[in-house]
Amino acid sequence: MSMFNEIRAVPKPTFKRRVKKQKDRGKITSQVLAEVWKRDKGCCVLCKKSSKQVWTLEGHHIIFRSQGGTGEPWNVALACGPVTQSGTCHWKAHNTRAGRLAFIEYQQKILLPFYQGGAS
């Protein structure tokens, strides 16, 4: 009997990961999106248009995931989109300095005091 004739099945581990995979870190979960939707009253935080007035409202990371931003509610805001269509607030947040600064200002003035005050 050669050593290549026998099959040694290795059981799959039954434990969960302690740390999420790289691609899952910072994602906006459905629970966080529901909380943000309720907090922002279903409107874009920059132009104040509701979901009935725009094509879609999307969760936007104020501090980008690539820069260490998390998917927690204090780092997520609703923005009218889609991100690929020029002229929308979500597109402005990703492609213009003024858009990025507007979202950072929104986070500093409204979100951080809201969540540090114990409202969540």
Side-chain angles (χ1 to χ4, degrees), residues 13 32 46 75 83:
V32 169
L46 291 187
N75 189 42
V83 70

Side-chain angles (χ1 to χ4, degrees), residues 47-60:
C47 65
K48 305 296 184 210
K49 290 183 181 176
S50 69
S51 59
K52 296 176 183 173
Q53 298 171 313
V54 295
W55 178 262
T56 181
L57 286 173
E58 301 173 339
H60 168 66

Side-chain angles (χ1 to χ4, degrees), residues 86-97:
S86 62
T88 63
C89 294
H90 203 169
W91 180 86
K92 290 175 188 173
H94 281 271
N95 296 299
T96 65
R97 182 183 169 121

